[in-house]
Amino acid sequence: MTGGADGNRTSHAASSDTGIGRTKRTVSALLVVSCISTAAALAQDEAAPGAFTEAQAAAGRADYATYCAACHAADLMGVAGAPPLAGEAFLARWGARTIGELVTYTGLTMPPADAGGLSDDEYAAVTAYTLQRNAAQPGGTPLTAASSIEIASVAAVPPADAAAAADADIPLGVTVAGRVENYEPITAAELRNPDPADWPMIRRDYGASNYSPLDQINRANIDRLELAWVYSMTDRDGRDQPAPMAYNGVVFVNNPPNVMQALDGRTGELIWETRISGPLNYHPMRGSALYDDKLYVATTEAHLLALDAATGEIVWEAVLGDREDGGFTASSGPIVADGKVLQGMGTCQQYREEKCFIGAFDAATGEELWRFETVARDGLPGGDTWNGLPDIFRAGGDVWITGSYDPELNLAFFGVAQAKPWMRASRQTGDGDALYTTSTLAIDVATGELAWYFQHAPGETVDLDEVFERVLIDDAGQKFVVTIGKPGIIWKLDRETGQYVDHAETMFQNVFTSIDPETGQPEYREDIVGHRVGNWVQICPGLSGGHNWPAMGFHKPMRRLVIPLMQACNELLPLDVPLEPGLTTVGAGWRAYELPGSNGNLGRLAAFDLGSLEEVWSYEQRVPFMSSALTTAGGLVFIGDLDRSLKAFDVETGDVLWRTRLGTAVQGFPISYAIDGRQYVAVPTGWGAGAQLFYVSAILEEPLRVPEAGSALYVFALEE
Amino acid sequence: MAPVALFLAAAFFGAAAQDTQTYEVRLAAAPRDSAMREFVAGSGSAEVTLAGTELTVTGRFEGLKSAATQANIHLAPVTGVRGPAVYELEVSTASAGTISGVFELSDETLARLDAGHLYIQIDSDSAPEGNLWGWLLRTDR
């Protein structure tokens, strides 16, 4: 076993049991490993004790405060989406790498808006300070970018963190035992046509409508809505964007870090809890899925698990991607189609041989049935669209949003994110399309074969990907798939053929100069495709996207798409990224500014007519919306924001009919369900909104006071 | 308040017969990251009136982290993208103050104004590449 901090990943992967009684790596184990490898490193390097000098750490402390603390925080634990630079999670990612690699990475990419802007001495100094904050001791040898000392050999979880980690040394597996009484396995027919009282998957149905047919809570009585119960979730161990489900009166909800809970939907009583893995969880865990007697969940470390839905016991576990090397995640959550669990992968920016894929796993056994790689390799269809880059340097194509499913066509629809690094100049793909990035994929669920693809922006080059929800709508005798991505453009495609049907811009954009009305192919602004390393490029909307993971709701009776939008721009700085296997970077720096004409309103919720795609109403506010838009047959739209407000809008007029304020940011996927004729609305709150906020937070004059504690599920109903 | 009222009155009487366009410009932070909040900060507003071919700018700003050094109207290739300075405004060289200027626009610049390609930018000691900026956009369409 090498690389102390990765020790628990090894033991985790090696454990083939049901997960019950597994424990997280203990701190003492880490320290033991550290000591051993320290000796090894010393022998190799013949370095004096200490990988940096006291003077370097002191200088680094000041540099850190000036250049890094705004994002990574004074305590190095990260704010607003920047990852922690100390503690367990940091060491898990960096422990097995060398100090030299850390200096080089930081010098290449940090601070994002001025990458490479510090002197070599300053980069060495901030790295020294980072190591010191990870319990490394100074010595007589100055730290340089040439250092081949393994980080885990000198660093460890700092004492305060170690204490917390020891406290949290909770066994994995079922942590609260219980049983859902008379659990009725959910059938394929029920998934196709959910009971109005249920919300059995992310966005409720295979078409991703985010629409509940319940109407007990409606426009006439919304003022009588009150809190039925609230349940606190695990706090601050990862970004929180949960998509709860409700089935037969039970609410299933995922908490960071990789914890599933079953709650009594009427009382909020905890029925069971299963802790799937430890806190290596800077990434969110968005959705989960139900089928038959099981609950499926993908973890932030790219494992896929089946739990017994009645008891939370782990039935099987499949490994999607190797996390040993700081790679892959799976934040999207699965969808079950035709007896198969379909799951996509995230964090695909590393230069490595393995590519991200969408996989199908046997729902009963976890056996892998097929996989479709989202990046086309040389020699395969689409493989000639990467400017001849060797396969190892074809990165990106993340699938970090759950797909949708058409049972009649037996096709699954997934969005694929952009190529990495973000910008053509950095990633060296020339004017190649870089298939299948920034595309809608229709995949035959029986075989895993590609039925068709539609690439929304060939050779995408400014991180404006199109990975988000695919909403399946039948209208006027045609089967559509509707989506909207970061450029804020609604796309309507024929989902049988992938033919372009229509599009509409929902907000000001300056990225495309035209979109062909026949084919839907966009033309980039000239200076965007002509960008050069080291020159800033301005784009509206920006990296946060006009639209991001907070999914739209499709109000079926009124044929309205109700879409959460974000109004912000970025300027981007393409970096020179060396083609080095193992390197992980998006390869760009960025700054943020208000979208012209938005009057400083970052948040917007707007409704569009399905037929004409014309805007019907629009509501703007300074604070970004951070949840999906839940629409209901009661004529309502529920949505929450960063500033803790939960609002209910009239879907017809856009008027705010009801509002309340919760414990922290309202984020994730609100749902509605009913038990014994009483309708409930369940709304998650949580921490660490994620990248889309991170990219725009600099716009706000003062960072908002968003409490870091307060992850919870709030459940509302009409007063009885 | 008084200067604004006066200004509006002047605009009304002076140019009522001509084609008059008014732009309310919000001046907000130029592109920055979180760390740059320390030196790229502040807010402001400007009223811009086009009477015939004459463009009149009056505005105010506050909250800069250092003294303003210059203010200009810039001509962008497209809305939201940086472009070169084309008209120099009067500006208080302080962290708060006013901007003003009157310019005769060519037909070409008039068309660019109409297309939303003009913006106001105030630079400061600590933010020489732009401290506050704001776009001249028609709100009537």
Side-chain angles (χ1 to χ4, degrees):
Chain A
M1 187 158 110
T2 56
D6 271 4
N8 87 320
R9 304 269 64 71
T10 311
S11 61
H12 185 164
S15 85
S16 56
D17 62 26
T18 60
I20 298 166
R22 290 185 306 178
T23 49
K24 280 187 348 195
R25 175 200 67 246
T26 59
V27 173
S28 54
L30 171 74
L31 294 177
V32 170
V33 175
S34 298
C35 293
I36 295 167
S37 19
T38 304
L42 284 179
Q44 278 164 20
D45 274 31
E46 293 177 35
F52 56 91
T53 65
E54 193 134 21
Q56 278 185 311
R61 182 195 174 113
D63 292 337
Y64 181 87
T66 310
Y67 301 113
C68 322
C71 298
H72 293 285
D75 64 359
L76 279 73
M77 295 321 282
V79 286
L85 299 183
E88 228 181 334
F90 174 72
L91 290 173
R93 287 166 64 79
W94 283 92
R97 298 193 232 177
T98 66
I99 291 173
E101 281 178 85
L102 182 58
V103 179
T104 307
Y105 171 88
T106 311
L108 267 176
T109 62
M110 295 291 139
D114 188 23
L118 280 62
S119 69
D120 289 353
D121 284 352
E122 285 171 320
Y123 282 118
V126 287
T127 308
Y129 175 66
T130 305
L131 292 174
Q132 190 184 45
R133 293 295 300 264
N134 283 281
Q137 298 301 320
T141 315
L143 180 157
T144 69
S147 170
S148 60
I149 299 175
E150 185 186 81
I151 290 171
S153 73
V154 295
V157 176
D161 232 41
D167 275 354
D169 199 7
I170 303 164
L172 300 177
V174 174
T175 40
V176 175
R179 172 174 286 277
V180 177
E181 292 307 331
N182 308 317
Y183 186 83
E184 277 180 43
I186 185 164
T187 63
E190 280 173 292
L191 288 179
R192 280 177 80 146
N193 193 8
D195 187 299
D198 291 335
W199 190 285
M201 67 184 83
I202 186 171
R203 303 169 311 218
R204 188 167 182 275
D205 47 42
Y206 277 148
S209 74
N210 251 325
Y211 170 76
S212 167
L214 299 172
D215 63 0
Q216 185 179 67
I217 301 167
N218 57 47
R219 290 180 279 190
N221 61 19
I222 180 87
D223 53 328
R224 293 199 292 116
L225 200 64
E226 61 175 28
L227 189 67
W229 54 266
V230 55
Y231 192 85
S232 291
M233 302 198 292
T234 329
D235 263 332
R236 186 60 228 256
D237 253 341
R239 292 177 184 173
D240 215 356
Q241 302 168 6
M245 301 182 290
Y247 173 63
N248 262 348
V250 178
V251 171
F252 299 94
V253 63
N254 46 327
N255 300 211
N258 299 315
V259 176
M260 281 302 311
Q261 292 174 326
L263 298 160
D264 182 320
R266 187 198 320 259
T267 63
E269 204 67 48
L270 181 68
I271 302 172
W272 57 253
E273 177 185 271
T274 299
R275 193 167 273 262
I276 297 161
S277 66
L280 295 176
N281 195 6
Y282 151 63
H283 288 270
M285 179 197 194
R286 230 162 266 107
S288 49
L290 290 170
Y291 174 57
D292 198 22
D293 57 354
K294 296 187 187 64
L295 183 153
Y296 302 92
V297 54
T299 66
T300 54
E301 57 195 352
H303 288 210
L304 181 66
L305 291 94
L307 315 188
D308 181 322
T311 64
E313 278 158 31
I314 295 172
V315 182
W316 56 255
E317 177 166 1
V319 178
L320 298 161
D322 175 15
R323 243 326 257 289
E324 299 280 306
D325 206 12
F328 307 136
T329 60
S331 64
S332 62
I335 183 168
V336 182
D338 193 27
K340 302 176 183 74
V341 188
L342 310 184
Q343 177 64 47
M345 289 161 72
T347 315
C348 310
Q349 62 257 48
Q350 191 172 25
Y351 288 151
R352 60 191 296 167
E353 287 303 340
E354 302 93 326
K355 301 298 162 205
C356 277
F357 61 87
I358 298 160
F361 298 81
D362 184 291
T365 65
E367 185 200 343
E368 185 180 320
L369 302 173
W370 52 254
R371 61 169 68 183
F372 181 86
E373 287 185 345
T374 52
V375 159
R377 293 178 192 257
D378 192 28
L380 291 178
D384 56 355
T385 60
W386 286 81
N387 197 29
L389 270 183
D391 284 348
I392 190 168
F393 301 119
R394 304 179 178 199
D398 314 51
V399 179
W400 57 276
I401 295 293
T402 308
S404 344
Y405 175 55
D406 181 330
E408 273 157 37
L409 301 174
N410 205 26
L411 290 180
F413 302 89
F414 284 90
V416 182
Q418 74 294 74
K420 310 272 181 6
W422 286 339
M423 304 184 73
R424 291 181 189 181
S426 311
R427 74 170 179 256
Q428 306 181 29
T429 52
D431 55 9
D433 291 352
L435 286 171
Y436 294 92
T437 61
T438 320
S439 299
T440 298
L441 303 185
I443 296 179
D444 183 335
V445 174
T447 61
E449 267 155 40
L450 187 64
W452 55 258
Y453 73 90
F454 178 86
Q455 195 172 36
H456 299 267
E460 199 290 321
T461 183
V462 279
D463 182 32
L464 294 187
D465 56 314
E466 299 270 356
V467 73
F468 309 106
E469 67 276 13
R470 264 57 188 173
V471 185
L472 311 186
I473 300 172
D474 295 349
D475 189 55
Q478 230 184 323
K479 292 173 186 289
F480 297 116
V481 50
V482 174
T483 190
I484 174 170
K486 287 189 184 176
I489 295 169
I490 305 174
W491 299 95
K492 206 193 241 186
L493 309 176
D494 181 319
R495 75 172 181 271
E496 285 178 286
T497 61
Q499 282 293 311
Y500 164 84
V501 178
D502 199 4
H503 79 272
E505 297 180 15
T506 61
M507 64 175 67
F508 170 71
Q509 67 87 12
N510 63 17
V511 176
F512 303 123
T513 49
S514 67
I515 295 175
D516 187 311
E518 296 301 315
T519 64
Q521 289 305 291
E523 193 72 41
Y524 271 112
R525 208 176 75 211
E526 216 169 296
D527 65 302
I528 288 183
V529 278
H531 68 262
R532 289 213 205 99
V533 164
N535 288 353
W536 289 94
V537 176
Q538 293 84 36
I539 54 162
C540 299
L543 308 175
S544 60
H547 181 70
N548 207 291
W549 64 264
M552 70 170 99
F554 173 55
H555 193 274
K556 294 180 183 179
M558 288 189 206
R559 298 173 75 245
R560 282 191 185 170
L561 305 164
V562 186
I563 310 182
L565 300 167
M566 180 97 92
Q567 307 188 120
C569 306
N570 285 98
E571 62 178 357
L572 277 173
L573 183 68
L575 304 176
D576 188 10
V577 177
L579 293 176
E580 273 172 25
L583 193 76
T584 302
T585 180
V586 295
W590 65 84
R591 297 169 179 159
Y593 56 100
E594 295 176 355
L595 185 96
S598 66
N599 207 19
N601 289 310
L602 291 174
R604 182 163 151 231
L605 181 71
F608 301 85
D609 177 73
L610 172 69
S612 66
L613 297 183
E614 263 165 38
E615 183 182 297
V616 189
W617 54 260
S618 171
Y619 177 93
E620 294 182 323
Q621 60 177 37
R622 176 71 170 153
V623 175
F625 288 107
M626 296 306 304
S627 84
S628 60
L630 159 65
T631 59
T632 74
L636 298 168
V637 184
F638 291 88
I639 188 166
D641 68 33
L642 180 66
D643 203 23
R644 304 188 282 121
S645 281
L646 170 66
K647 295 190 177 83
F649 291 82
D650 184 330
V651 74
E652 194 166 356
T653 62
D655 292 338
V656 179
L657 300 181
W658 177 88
R659 69 175 83 204
T660 188
R661 246 175 144 204
L662 307 181
T664 189
V666 182
Q667 59 188 42
F669 295 74
I671 66 168
S672 188
Y673 61 92
I675 304 173
D676 293 339
R678 190 172 192 217
Q679 184 187 355
Y680 298 86
V681 171
V683 181
T685 57
W687 172 85
Q692 89 277 23
L693 181 63
F694 178 71
Y695 297 134
V696 303
S697 57
I699 291 174
L700 301 165
E701 277 86 37
E702 294 297 332
L704 283 176
R705 263 180 243 289
V706 184
E708 288 182 0
S711 296
L713 190 66
Y714 289 77
V715 179
F716 299 88
L718 294 180
E719 64 186 18
E720 277 183 314
Chain B
M1 202 55 219
V4 180
L6 202 72
F7 159 76
L8 286 177
F12 181 77
F13 289 115
Q18 295 174 342
D19 191 10
T20 304
Q21 257 312 316
T22 308
Y23 300 83
E24 298 289 333
V25 180
R26 172 188 167 87
L27 296 172
R32 63 178 181 184
D33 64 26
S34 300
M36 289 164 71
R37 272 206 199 94
E38 295 299 314
F39 47 91
V40 184
S43 62
S45 62
E47 290 83 39
V48 179
T49 300
L50 178 70
T53 56
E54 189 178 87
L55 191 78
T56 308
V57 179
T58 54
R60 60 216 60 81
F61 61 92
E62 59 183 13
L64 271 47
K65 299 284 182 184
S66 63
T69 50
Q70 56 171 331
N72 295 282
I73 293 179
H74 290 241
L75 184 60
V78 45
T79 311
V81 171
R82 291 180 191 259
V86 287
Y87 298 113
E88 193 175 344
L89 295 160
E90 299 281 324
V91 59
S92 324
T93 50
S95 61
T98 58
I99 52 171
S100 60
V102 180
F103 311 98
E104 201 60 40
L105 302 193
S106 67
D107 284 354
E108 155 73 9
T109 315
L110 281 171
R112 303 289 294 275
L113 168 66
D114 195 60
H117 296 177
L118 265 54
Y119 66 96
I120 294 172
Q121 179 174 310
I122 303 176
D123 300 341
S124 69
D125 258 334
S126 61
E129 288 173 32
N131 190 318
L132 295 177
W133 71 349
W135 292 83
L136 277 58
L137 299 175
R138 291 184 67 155
T139 50
D140 56 342
R141 58 165 193 239

